[in-house]
Structure formats: C-alpha cells, structure tokens
Amino acid sequence: MESLHPRVRLLWIAQGALAAIALGVGLAAVDRWVVDVPTIALGVVVAFGVVLGVAYAVRRYGVWRFEIESDALYLERGVVTFVETAVPFVRVQHVDTQFGPVERVFGLSSVVVYTAGSRNADVRIPGLTPERAEKIQDTLRQLATESDATDAV
C-alpha cells in the first residue's frame, strides 16, 4: 500500500501545536477571569499538548495507507480507532482535488472521493503532492467511468 507524503507529518504537527497553544490561551483566560491557575501549570499543559500532538501526528502518518486496485480504492488509517475502508468504483460519483490554504503552505493537497450513500459519503486522501493528487484523481475518474458500464444496480 502507498503512504502519504512525509511533509504531511509537519502539517499535522503544526495543527497539534496550534491546538495546544489555543488550549494554553484558553487556560490563561480562565486564569485571568475565573480562577487562579499557576503559570507553571499553563506551561506544563501547553508542553504536554505539543508533545502529545507530535506523537499523534507521527503515529497517524505511520498508519495511513491507501491503494488503488482494479475494483476499489482501499484505505487504512486511524490512531485510536483503526479504520479500513473499501470504496468500490461503481459507488464513486465524483472526485475532487483540494488545495486548502494551510496545505498550500506545506506544498500538499488532498483528493476527495464522493460516493453514493448518506453515511460517510466522502473519503479524503490527505498529504499528497499536487502532481500526485492530480494523477490519483485522473486514475479514479477513469476507473469509476469504466466500472459504470458494469454496474448492475
């Protein structure tokens, strides 16, 4: 199975660090207006959040895999709950490539596969270079179009 681009770890680490800093700012606001929180406690909470965010990002990268077979797109991911997903091409409605502002900073993009159905009707492959995302998008479109002719539904 194929893994994501290594730069996605940096993106996920940055997101975790920003969440830890936001938590620290929230605790500082509580300290100022609600109850006195020791400054050392604020630092410990932020540092623990950053370490936890880094560990989570590294582990998340280590388990995220995908593969394009002739009949379906297969994904494996998850840190706390491991999820294996198979998206049959006959269920694919359309495929998008997304370049969010934060992803663009890291030179990354995502492929989003929209499927028929109401629960989990889209699957996202993050952490791809724009060139790789476009190739995957083209491949998935081609395979979905080919499988449409054999759809028995």
Side-chain angles (χ1 to χ4, degrees):
M1 295 191 94
E2 188 175 340
S3 61
L4 305 177
H5 193 281
R7 268 194 309 252
V8 77
R9 286 181 295 197
L10 298 175
L11 172 66
W12 291 339
I13 287 169
Q15 289 172 337
L18 288 174
I21 291 168
L23 177 64
V25 168
L27 285 175
V30 167
D31 176 46
R32 177 152 174 98
W33 290 297
V34 179
V35 66
D36 189 31
V37 178
T39 305
I40 190 77
L42 289 173
V44 168
V45 167
V46 171
F48 180 73
V50 169
V51 169
L52 188 63
V54 168
Y56 185 82
V58 169
R59 178 68 181 139
R60 183 178 176 192
Y61 174 77
V63 297
W64 228 113
R65 301 275 185 268
F66 70 95
E67 186 172 24
I68 301 173
E69 293 285 332
S70 61
D71 62 336
L73 168 65
Y74 296 94
L75 304 124
E76 294 179 352
R77 64 212 182 276
V79 174
V80 177
T81 302
F82 188 74
V83 179
E84 294 178 337
T85 304
V87 180
F89 293 127
V90 295
R91 306 284 292 168
V92 172
Q93 292 183 332
H94 66 280
V95 182
D96 289 339
T97 301
Q98 294 182 348
F99 306 88
V102 177
E103 286 177 314
R104 281 194 301 256
V105 168
F106 288 91
L108 298 172
S109 61
S110 298
V111 170
V112 183
V113 180
Y114 296 92
T115 62
S118 59
R119 185 174 172 269
N120 297 327
D122 64 323
V123 175
R124 185 173 186 260
I125 305 173
L128 302 168
T129 62
E131 298 80 22
R132 182 68 181 129
E134 286 181 35
K135 286 180 185 175
I136 290 173
Q137 181 182 23
D138 291 342
T139 300
L140 293 175
R141 282 181 183 159
Q142 180 66 31
L143 291 168
T145 303
E146 290 172 4
S147 68
D148 195 31
T150 61
D151 188 5
V153 179

